[in-house]
Amino acid sequence: MLSAILFLAILFLSLLIFFVPGKVKYFFTLALIVIGIVVTTLWSSELIAGDGQEVERTLLSAGSGSILVLTIDRLSALFVLVINITVLTGFLYARGYLARYLQTKSSLSFSIHYFSYLWLWLSMLMVVMVRDGLSFLIVWEIMALSSFFLVIFQAEERTILKTGINYLIQMHVGMFFIMTGFLLVGRDTGIMSFNALTEYFSSNPNFPLFLLFFIGFAIKAGFIPLHTWLPEAHPSAPSHVSGVMSGVMIKMGIYGIVRVLMAMQSDLLLTGTVILAVSLFTGVMGIMMAIVQHDLKRLLAYSSIENIGIIGTGIGLGMIGLGLDNPVLAVLGFAGGLLHVLNHSLFKSLLFFNAGSVYLATHTRNMEELGGVMKRMPYTALLFLTGSLAICGMPPFNGFISEYFIYMGLFRSLAGATLTHSIVIVASVVGLSLIGGLAIFCFTKAFGIVFLGEPRSQKAVNISEMGRTMILPQLLTVLLIMIIGLGSPLVVRPMFEMVAQSFGVTMPTMETGSFMSNLSQISIIGGLFVLMLTLLLVYRRLHLKRRQVEAGPTWGCGYTAATPRMQYTATSFAYNYNHIAKPLLQNLKIMDEIREDDLFPSRRTFESHSDDLFRRYLIDRPVDWVSGLLKKIAVMQTGRIQQYILYAFLFMLLVLLLSFLKII
Amino acid sequence: MAGFVLIVIAAFFFPGIILRSKSIASGRKGPGVFQPLKDLTVLFHKGSVFSHATGMIFRIAPSLTLITIICAMMLLPFAEQKALFAFEGDFILFSYLLALGKFFTVIAALDTGSSFEGMGASREALFLLLAEPVFFILLATFAMFTGYTSFSVIFNHFFVTGNDYVLIYSIIGIYLFVQIAMIENSRLPVDDPKTHLELTMIHEVMILDYSGFDKALIHIGTYLKFAMFGSLIYNIIVPAGWNVILQTGLFLAVQTLFAIVIGLTESFRARNKMNKNPKFILTLSAVALVAFMVILILTDKLV
């Protein structure tokens, strides 16, 4: 009971942020976050220690009914873990990141920032713990609002404000779908709640309602083509916020989808196939668009879309497994997808934080102006490299483990699959391996161009490493990445138990045992790999000590006396790829060609941008069309009162006529 | 264990045999079979020159790549003997380990700041990503064909169960493994190691700045990789149950044959045009998909 009061206290104490003096503001917020983490972790551990069913906490009750009830099951516990880790590391990192704004920003805007950050965290926690529909919608809305305020931290830049508003509008479109879903459930069962979904699904067709919820949650999660807010909002936000939004907040969409799926009883196969198709498309397109970006944070944002695709693939396969009564596919699919939620939150926040450090040092996110950052910021570079390797699914990092889960689900169910089933499986295998290959292309580019070689502009020359307060919190993330990567057998049982509780499927005990032994062999090879590498590197050092080692310029041809601007750039690295991907991605080229009769051509400029086709055709075009139409209608707005009276008169006449004709 | 040792042994001869068959085919006297090994000892004795532009990545990449290959080798079985590490889905780890090596080769090339190396890196990364699905589709086909998901068990069950169609899979498998080996090792028809112009190089240009110890490691990695793919090919040709001594002989014979084939291909055909390469590699995926379709037909799932 004490813990519930404590949690409630945090909600109210958060208001004090506005009144605490400037210097302690940060630490006050940090203290609230730490207390909250302790409380929620206690609840989750109670779940594991107890009968493992559910833990319930009533925060507010009025009269006979309770208003705010928090319920934690294993699924919520996973998401609580994900939220807490990234929010904590993000806030620790934020101290150094925000330090440079101390001079330019008022105390009030810091208060608003901290307050929003705190409430983003609280609302996400409540999103995963609240079951009642109305409360859910309220905390969902708080989540959208608080993240909106975080995104527009630098609102003095007009583009950022515009992005923020775009984000807010899209979130509300999504909210509308979710609300409609809840209303349908409420109309049918009398209760607007996730708990009533089971009842609704047992007597109604499952797929239509699922689709409503799916669209609503998919906007948050960033499934293509509903992703257009994501690559705009993430780069605009300060890096610790981008890390939290990309690592955690978009996963709330995944949470919602999974919560709905848990209640479904029929149309499982159809649902699974739809999720799978959308996810594979999202994964491939997301990473394909990521490759052509020049803006480091935009690249990371698109790669988040790709990872949402991988998560969705796992979940879709899980549903197909349920539909086909194939427990192995179901368990491995769900477990892989949900483990990837945790994994992605770790490495993506790591990548965003370090992209933020690069931005702080160089004041640019444009990769074409960077280069050679590793020599000047070695720790940041190593952290970014760790994140890159993990996100590409390289052993022995954690990304490999979740992809291994999903691949195993696929390969294990191949034998004895029906025709359509095996086509689905092979399509997924092709999709996943293609995503893997593309991710390697994307992150060799991101890491290689930004951190290696020579600086491509002055901006990247006089820079220095970030302070310890920004590096150290990230080591926690790296530690977790390595624990999951090298100690993967540890995560199997909790993940499987969570899937068992949520979806009621279990793998046969023997299978679980053999799966764990597979993973332990992978861990052994991972350990061996690290060991052998260390030995070889030590030997190499000793070997080179006995030889003559010189330093010289990079091999001459093509590099002598040139400026570092002649290095391969991000665009040139992706040139070949661009050539192949042209049908799917369109590059905008802005230039005026030199005509033949133009004897003395004047100064010209050339620009090329990667364009998001989905945004152009699904958002920009329709919006332009509608606003064009509205402009035409605006002719009626003359400002003369006589005409307005005429409109009113005409309207009344119309109503009269219609009612006379018995139409209304 | 036997598989591991045999791959190492085969790797000793492999590059020499390629070299010999090339010189014989072109009518030259040419160097001896052990010339590549002699080159290695020379490299080990030499000092090293590092570019000012390079940093840590450039220095650890060759060692790391070699270790990934050694780890991948531990996953390959020989005859009825299981591999050092045999578990379900080991081929996923196999493929990702090789990709990890490539990842470092690519970023090490970018570390030098040279445009040529950047160009090579971009091309290599592109071909890598296009080739990724081939291996997975092929292994999915094998997994469906045999019902198992580990190299050791797949190859043990490849020739049993009274399956008359195994020849089809052997042939398609051989073809695809050879082509994957060529792409992985940057050989013809995707890349030509003997080209002399940086603009047309892919892999060679990426390792231009290496010297001494690190260069030797890169060469060793290439040799091991050849023998490793040779061992994969061997496993889908020779049934696992045969006599061990016979198997060992056959293993070395298959490796030699593979090396000769590579040597002859490189003597008699030109490299693909650079912008034809993506199409070529995607065709391999198509071939792998055909193999998969065949299995659907054979198991009466697709009429």
Side-chain angles (χ1 to χ4, degrees):
Chain A
M1 206 53 233
L2 179 72
S3 55
I5 296 170
L6 219 56
F7 193 79
L8 210 57
I10 297 174
L11 301 189
F12 288 106
L13 282 177
S14 64
L15 280 172
L16 279 182
I17 291 178
F18 288 97
F19 305 104
V20 171
K23 277 184 186 151
V24 279
K25 226 177 251 277
Y26 174 82
F27 294 101
F28 179 72
T29 319
L30 184 62
L32 289 184
I33 291 181
V34 171
I35 295 170
I37 288 177
V38 171
V39 169
T40 45
T41 314
L42 273 180
W43 289 344
S44 309
S45 57
E46 213 171 298
L47 175 82
I48 309 295
D51 57 351
Q53 286 305 308
E54 278 177 354
V55 174
E56 230 180 59
R57 287 282 178 278
T58 310
L59 288 194
L60 284 177
S61 47
S64 56
S66 28
I67 305 171
L68 191 51
V69 185
L70 302 182
T71 318
I72 307 182
D73 59 2
R74 285 176 191 273
L75 184 70
S76 314
L78 171 77
F79 278 89
V80 167
L81 182 73
V82 170
I83 294 166
N84 282 341
I85 294 170
T86 308
V87 165
L88 182 67
T89 50
F91 200 66
L92 290 173
Y93 171 83
R95 190 171 170 225
Y97 189 86
L98 290 172
R100 76 177 256 216
Y101 295 101
L102 278 176
Q103 312 298 326
T104 50
K105 289 269 172 190
S106 66
S107 164
L108 179 65
S109 55
F110 268 98
S111 303
I112 295 176
H113 188 75
Y114 291 150
F115 185 73
S116 313
Y117 192 86
L118 194 73
W119 270 93
L120 176 60
W121 166 66
L122 287 171
S123 58
M124 288 193 299
L125 280 178
M126 286 192 280
V127 159
V128 298
M129 294 197 268
V130 155
R131 294 290 174 79
D132 173 53
L134 192 62
S135 319
F136 182 84
L137 287 172
I138 292 171
V139 286
W140 188 261
E141 174 67 16
I142 296 175
M143 183 168 76
L145 278 178
S146 53
S147 49
F148 165 71
F149 283 113
L150 290 171
V151 168
I152 60 162
F153 181 61
Q154 287 162 286
E156 60 273 8
E157 284 176 44
R158 261 191 83 81
T159 49
I160 289 187
L161 193 61
K162 204 180 153 202
T163 322
I165 289 169
N166 173 20
Y167 166 66
L168 202 61
I169 293 172
Q170 294 215 25
M171 284 307 106
H172 284 88
V173 174
M175 172 116 166
F176 170 76
F177 279 97
I178 300 169
M179 202 190 295
T180 319
F182 272 121
L183 285 174
L184 282 178
V185 176
R187 188 196 62 184
D188 220 70
T189 60
I191 315 162
M192 252 178 67
S193 160
F194 278 122
N195 294 332
L197 279 177
T198 324
E199 196 187 327
Y200 178 90
F201 280 134
S202 62
S203 55
N204 288 290
N206 282 200
F207 189 67
L209 184 73
F210 159 77
L211 208 59
L212 263 183
F213 276 114
F214 182 69
I215 293 172
F217 287 124
I219 291 182
K220 194 66 157 191
F223 280 100
I224 291 177
L226 307 168
H227 69 285
T228 50
W229 65 272
L230 209 148
E232 304 295 325
H234 285 174
S236 304
S239 283
H240 55 285
V241 177
S242 337
V244 171
M245 280 174 75
S246 178
V248 188
M249 198 191 71
I250 58 173
K251 312 290 168 34
M252 295 302 115
I254 299 289
Y255 168 81
I257 293 169
V258 174
R259 189 56 85 192
V260 174
L261 291 179
M262 275 166 63
M264 285 182 73
Q265 284 139 28
S266 58
D267 291 342
L268 300 181
L269 206 52
L270 175 66
T271 314
T273 317
V274 168
I275 299 179
L276 183 70
V278 172
S279 304
L280 284 175
F281 182 68
T282 302
V284 175
M285 283 309 288
I287 192 71
M288 281 184 77
M289 290 195 272
I291 292 175
V292 292
Q293 304 303 322
H294 310 300
D295 180 332
L296 185 56
K297 279 172 84 176
R298 262 179 96 93
L299 181 146
L300 294 178
Y302 274 110
S303 127
S304 293
I305 297 174
E306 168 235 328
N307 279 279
I308 286 292
I310 295 179
I311 294 169
T313 307
I315 293 171
L317 288 171
M319 282 314 275
I320 293 177
L322 281 186
L324 292 171
D325 267 335
N326 179 344
V328 175
L329 182 60
V331 172
L332 288 178
F334 283 126
L338 291 169
L339 182 62
H340 203 73
V341 169
L342 173 62
N343 287 344
H344 180 246
S345 79
L346 295 173
F347 46 66
K348 187 45 72 67
S349 57
L350 190 66
L351 287 167
F352 262 118
F353 297 160
N354 289 296
S357 300
V358 173
Y359 174 66
L360 268 194
T362 61
H363 304 284
T364 181
R365 297 193 308 256
N366 186 353
M367 294 162 67
E368 314 286 26
E369 296 180 325
L370 297 167
V373 176
M374 188 167 189
K375 275 194 216 80
R376 293 158 183 88
M377 301 167 76
Y379 297 113
T380 304
L382 281 178
L383 289 169
F384 194 92
L385 179 64
T386 313
S388 305
L389 289 171
I391 205 169
C392 291
M394 290 295 151
F397 297 97
N398 62 351
F400 177 74
I401 303 300
S402 35
E403 290 191 22
Y404 175 80
F405 270 67
I406 300 176
Y407 271 122
M408 274 321 282
L410 289 169
F411 285 118
R412 283 292 308 276
S413 44
L414 259 177
T418 59
L419 174 65
T420 40
H421 187 195
S422 39
I423 289 174
V424 165
I425 288 177
V426 164
S428 319
V429 168
V430 173
L432 275 177
S433 53
L434 207 57
I435 291 172
L438 286 159
I440 293 172
F441 193 94
C442 181
F443 281 92
T444 47
K445 168 185 147 166
F447 181 76
I449 300 292
V450 172
F451 290 96
L452 304 177
E454 298 278 0
R456 288 179 179 75
S457 76
Q458 277 304 312
K459 287 181 182 170
V461 176
N462 292 318
I463 53 175
S464 55
E465 183 57 273
M466 293 291 120
R468 228 173 281 157
T469 51
M470 293 171 79
I471 301 289
L472 286 179
Q474 304 188 46
L475 290 182
L476 175 69
T477 317
V478 173
L479 184 73
L480 288 168
I481 287 178
M482 294 315 293
I483 288 178
I484 300 178
L486 286 171
S488 50
L490 297 174
V491 300
V492 172
R493 229 169 258 287
M495 291 311 291
F496 281 8
E497 275 169 13
M498 186 192 67
V499 174
Q501 190 193 39
S502 309
F503 293 95
V505 278
T506 42
M507 291 240 275
T509 328
M510 220 180 67
E511 300 261 338
T512 315
S514 77
F515 190 73
M516 299 237 307
S517 84
N518 295 342
L519 283 174
S520 44
Q521 300 223 42
I522 291 178
S523 304
I524 294 172
I525 295 179
L528 259 181
F529 174 81
V530 176
L531 185 74
M532 287 197 291
L533 181 63
T534 326
L535 286 178
L536 184 60
L537 286 175
V538 169
Y539 175 74
R540 177 182 177 277
R541 216 187 158 80
L542 294 175
H543 182 92
L544 286 184
K545 256 190 193 152
R546 285 181 273 115
R547 303 283 185 285
Q548 192 184 3
V549 178
E550 290 167 48
T554 297
W555 189 70
C557 182
Y559 199 60
T560 16
T563 77
R565 282 196 65 88
M566 280 180 65
Q567 287 174 93
Y568 236 46
T569 59
T571 313
S572 32
F573 190 81
Y575 180 80
N576 281 327
Y577 159 83
N578 239 336
H579 194 72
I580 306 175
K582 210 185 271 165
L584 290 172
L585 314 168
Q586 279 186 3
N587 265 331
L588 279 182
K589 284 183 183 160
I590 305 169
M591 60 171 180
D592 31 323
E593 305 225 1
I594 303 179
R595 280 174 302 145
E596 266 180 48
D597 53 342
D598 210 356
L599 284 183
F600 302 103
S602 55
R603 197 186 166 92
R604 279 179 158 75
T605 55
F606 173 82
E607 278 178 66
S608 71
H609 298 282
S610 56
D611 193 24
D612 191 330
L613 282 183
F614 300 99
R615 201 187 72 195
R616 179 138 49 104
Y617 291 112
L618 284 173
I619 308 282
D620 290 355
R621 287 273 171 90
V623 168
D624 284 351
W625 186 77
V626 170
S627 59
L629 192 74
L630 290 178
K631 265 189 201 126
K632 278 184 197 138
I633 297 176
V635 178
M636 290 170 68
Q637 226 172 20
T638 53
R640 289 200 197 153
I641 190 103
Q642 293 93 327
Q643 285 183 355
Y644 289 153
I645 293 172
L646 179 68
Y647 296 152
F649 178 68
L650 285 178
F651 179 72
M652 279 193 289
L653 214 59
L654 185 74
V655 171
L656 208 65
L657 198 68
L658 287 179
S659 53
F660 181 71
L661 295 173
K662 303 234 166 82
I663 293 173
I664 51 173
Chain B
M1 193 65 206
F4 188 81
V5 176
L6 276 170
I7 291 175
V8 175
I9 293 172
F12 274 105
F13 303 96
F14 209 99
I17 296 174
I18 298 181
L19 218 59
R20 276 310 296 156
S21 46
K22 272 169 98 167
S23 39
I24 291 171
S26 59
R28 285 181 288 124
K29 199 175 165 216
V33 174
F34 290 104
Q35 189 57 41
L37 295 185
K38 288 177 194 159
D39 290 349
L40 281 185
T41 51
V42 171
L43 282 174
F44 274 124
H45 281 108
K46 279 190 174 181
S48 291
V49 184
F50 292 106
S51 159
H52 300 297
T54 60
M56 194 188 106
I57 299 291
F58 186 80
R59 286 164 178 74
I60 64 167
S63 314
L64 194 141
T65 310
L66 180 65
I67 300 292
T68 57
I69 295 166
I70 292 176
C71 284
M73 274 160 52
M74 295 183 191
L75 300 170
L76 292 185
F78 169 71
E80 273 185 317
Q81 288 216 15
K82 278 197 170 182
L84 275 177
F85 293 95
F87 53 91
E88 289 172 318
D90 48 9
F91 56 82
I92 305 168
L93 185 65
F94 178 85
S95 165
Y96 272 80
L97 276 171
L98 294 185
L100 176 63
K102 288 265 175 177
F103 188 104
F104 270 86
T105 318
V106 168
I107 58 175
L110 289 171
D111 204 7
T112 60
S114 152
S115 302
F116 283 139
E117 302 213 11
M119 194 182 294
S122 155
R123 287 170 179 166
E124 180 121 330
L126 182 68
F127 299 155
L128 167 79
L129 88 86
L130 294 173
E132 198 86 334
V134 185
F135 183 79
F136 276 104
I137 302 171
L138 185 62
L139 263 300
T141 313
F142 287 170
M144 190 152 181
F145 176 66
T146 59
Y148 296 97
T149 53
S150 158
F151 273 137
S152 299
V153 198
I154 286 179
F155 294 143
N156 266 333
H157 288 76
F158 208 71
F159 290 91
V160 292
T161 62
N163 204 323
D164 308 331
Y165 312 110
V166 71
L167 201 60
I168 300 174
Y169 295 101
S170 279
I171 291 170
I172 295 179
I174 293 166
Y175 176 73
L176 290 177
F177 276 140
V178 169
Q179 299 301 341
I180 296 173
M182 298 306 231
I183 297 168
E184 279 282 338
N185 276 316
S186 310
R187 289 291 182 137
L188 281 172
V190 173
D191 186 11
D192 184 359
K194 284 286 166 257
T195 176
H196 289 289
L197 182 65
E198 291 90 339
L199 279 174
T200 58
M201 294 177 178
I202 301 175
H203 185 73
E204 290 309 303
V205 77
M206 293 172 70
I207 55 172
L208 266 185
D209 271 281
Y210 279 112
S211 51
F213 186 77
D214 287 339
K215 187 153 194 214
L217 292 189
I218 293 174
H219 285 315
I220 296 175
T222 317
Y223 303 157
L224 286 174
K225 230 184 203 178
F226 266 129
M228 189 169 77
F229 277 98
S231 150
L232 271 179
I233 294 168
Y234 166 81
N235 274 312
I236 54 169
I237 298 180
V238 179
W242 290 4
N243 182 321
V244 178
I245 299 166
L246 180 66
Q247 293 256 16
T248 317
L250 279 174
F251 181 86
L252 295 177
V254 167
Q255 294 277 12
T256 316
L257 199 68
F258 181 36
I260 293 174
V261 167
I262 294 173
L264 292 181
T265 331
E266 299 203 339
S267 308
F268 291 109
R269 73 166 290 184
R271 198 192 59 190
N272 286 343
K273 239 173 108 180
M274 197 66 81
N275 54 9
K276 287 275 160 59
N277 270 339
K279 246 179 239 170
F280 173 77
I281 300 173
L282 286 175
T283 315
L284 296 181
S285 293
V287 173
L289 275 177
V290 167
F292 190 78
M293 293 300 251
V294 169
I295 202 169
L296 288 182
I297 295 169
L298 291 183
T299 49
D300 291 331
K301 281 171 189 156
L302 185 75
V303 182

